[in-house]
Amino acid sequence: MKIIMLGAPGAGKGTQAKKIADRLQIPHISTGDIFRANIKNGTELGKEAKSYMDAGNLVPDSVTLRLVMDRIAKEDCQNGYVFDGFPRTIPQAEALEEALRAIGQKIDFAVDIEVPDENIVHRMGGRRACLACGATYHTVYAAPKKEGVCDRCGAALMLREDDRPETVKKRLDVYHEQTQPLIDFYQDRGCLKRADGTKGVEEVFLQILELIGV
Ligand code: AP5
């Protein structure tokens, strides 16, 4: 199954994408996580992405598309994948559609996690991320067992550079301008599903499983 997670920054795409990927035993592909791993490792790609990300802007489509096309060509993507944070612009969605069409495939579901902007800034301020293994926590809604330490790998948890309130506001503007049009794009393709992202993590997960018929 090929699934795209849509939604504003902080809507819970990563949280739900990991759970869906675990349940369906398919890879979770987060372009944000791939960029952050490259920044941490000091690669050329990381250096290029960092300036855009820290300012709350999108990384150019050409860079992102190359990275995603390489990733989905890998063996473990044969039975599907969950995209988290991709596509994020109409050109990215069109390029993905074209690449899949060329091999006789298409996206099965685009799941939009709906959360009003007012809730987002609050959620992001409480998010703590593990840059070592990609796990995500929230100081109130999904706290780690030991404060500041990743349950999964024991590394220190961080407030992401782009989760500071001024940058979150900019990311929301960019989302409304460049990513929200994808909702109509996938509605037109007949594969859009809408989930109420204001509910608790487990409740949102159950909604999504029902929407995608699992
Ligand atoms: P990316 O990492 O993709 O960030 P994002 O889309 O802004 O999404 P987030 O990771 O911030 O939020 P999320 O929806 O995954 O929420 P989460 O589950 O963590 O991208 C970062 C940057 O990389 C971009 O700004 C851009 O520069 C660049 N980039 C990435 N992809 C790109 C692309 N395709 N093209 C161009 N540039 C690209 O949840 C948030 C918090 O809320 C957590 O603390 C969580 O524990 C908590 N939470 C989750 N669900 C709930 C719930 N139901 N109730 C209460 N709390 C909850």
Side-chain angles (χ1 to χ4, degrees), residues 7-16 30-33 35-36 49 52-53 56-61 64 84-88 92 123-124 126-128 136-138 141-142 160 162-163 171 197-201 204:
K13 301 182 295 295
T15 302
Q16 298 298 333
S30 158
T31 39
D33 284 353
F35 288 136
R36 280 185 288 279
Y52 297 102
M53 290 173 72
N57 289 316
L58 298 184
V59 177
D61 286 344
T64 308
D84 160 17
F86 177 88
R88 233 178 171 98
Q92 289 183 12
R123 272 199 194 175
M124 305 293 252
R127 173 162 59 183
R128 295 296 177 270
T136 308
Y137 302 86
H138 191 281
Y141 308 117
R160 260 168 54 178
D162 60 351
D163 277 352
R171 286 165 64 198
T198 63
K199 308 287 187 215
V201 171
V204 177

Side-chain angles (χ1 to χ4, degrees), residues 164-183:
R164 299 182 193 285
E166 6 15 299
T167 316
V168 171
K169 292 201 183 81
K170 168 72 181 166
R171 286 165 64 198
L172 279 169
D173 289 345
V174 170
Y175 165 76
H176 289 303
E177 195 186 307
Q178 300 195 50
T179 307
Q180 210 168 16
L182 292 179
I183 295 173

